[in-house]
Amino acid sequence: MSNRAYPLSRKDMDVFNEYYDGLHSQGRMDWVNEPTPFTHPVFIAWRTVPDKSGELGKTMQKGRVVVDLRELNKGKHYITVVDATAFFHQFLVHPDYRDRFAVISPRGIERYRVAALEQYIGASSWLRNLILYYAKISEPLQKRKAALLAEGRKEGRIETGKPNKRKAYVQSTYYEPTRAEKALFAAV
């Protein structure tokens, strides 16, 4: 796949840099220094949200990084564009497969070292014939994810209707995958 980076404004680049620099500093992304067959361009989607001050009626613009996967869907019935801020960056991607998790921006090509699982669920039309196979492999991993979220709810760190609490919990929670979980993820 040959994709070009979408042009981003300075304001867009500020959002992009903050998000991806954070992933780099956490060891969840790295730079691509060799040819890669997969790159997905990114852009910033802006939406109006209530201002953080809590003042009634006051709003602000919030930018979100979006990875454009439409190239995967050429000739398919549906278009895929996935919001990058809802990812779970929990499971390491085997180095042999990291090229499939590459994004391209004005600053170059970067790739995830961890699975951005929600990003690739949108590619299901491309992977449709493999879904049952991978669902069976990933079932224990999904159970682990559900258990971690249940623990967060039990501790009061996640509450229904409060996505920022869930986001904070997910970003601050780390566990060491078992040998079996690592093997399952390598199989995916």
Side-chain angles (χ1 to χ4, degrees):
M1 280 181 206
S2 92
N3 283 310
R4 291 181 175 204
Y6 295 149
L8 300 176
S9 70
R10 286 184 186 168
K11 186 177 173 183
D12 291 346
M13 283 303 296
D14 288 344
V15 172
F16 179 83
N17 288 334
E18 180 181 351
Y19 185 71
Y20 280 104
D21 288 348
L23 292 175
H24 277 278
S25 70
Q26 296 168 4
R28 294 177 176 184
M29 285 198 91
D30 57 21
W31 292 96
V32 175
N33 298 316
E34 66 273 344
T36 182
F38 302 96
T39 57
H40 307 293
V42 297
F43 60 93
I44 307 300
W46 293 92
R47 65 185 177 124
T48 303
V49 297
D51 188 79
K52 292 179 181 178
S53 68
E55 189 177 321
L56 188 61
K58 193 169 181 182
T59 61
M60 61 183 259
Q61 291 291 305
K62 182 175 181 181
R64 299 182 79 156
V65 177
V66 179
V67 179
D68 187 349
L69 299 175
R70 291 178 293 176
E71 183 70 25
L72 294 176
N73 291 324
K74 277 196 174 173
K76 308 293 189 248
H77 297 288
Y78 302 98
I79 294 175
T80 302
V81 179
V82 181
D83 184 342
T85 61
F87 295 175
F88 284 94
H89 301 97
Q90 298 290 333
F91 299 106
L92 289 174
V93 174
H94 191 278
D96 293 346
Y97 301 103
R98 288 185 184 157
D99 61 342
R100 291 161 178 89
F101 290 79
V103 296
I104 186 168
S105 74
R107 69 185 205 172
I109 300 175
E110 301 163 76
R111 66 180 163 217
Y112 289 91
R113 295 179 58 157
V114 293
L117 299 176
E118 284 79 359
Q119 176 181 357
Y120 291 90
I121 289 173
S124 61
S125 61
W126 183 54
L127 300 169
R128 185 173 288 133
N129 61 333
L130 300 175
I131 289 174
L132 291 176
Y133 170 76
Y134 286 115
K136 184 176 180 179
I137 290 173
S138 65
E139 184 179 359
L141 302 175
Q142 290 294 333
K143 286 180 180 179
R144 168 65 87 158
K145 175 182 153 185
L148 286 168
L149 293 173
E151 184 178 317
R153 284 188 194 90
K154 184 178 175 184
E155 294 171 358
R157 295 175 60 197
I158 297 176
E159 292 179 30
T160 303
K162 295 189 177 180
N164 288 338
K165 286 190 88 169
R166 177 183 168 135
K167 184 177 177 182
Y169 174 75
V170 169
Q171 290 176 341
S172 66
T173 302
Y174 180 81
Y175 82 98
E176 183 64 32
T178 65
R179 199 176 276 176
E181 288 169 336
K182 288 178 182 178
L184 287 171
F185 193 77
V188 173

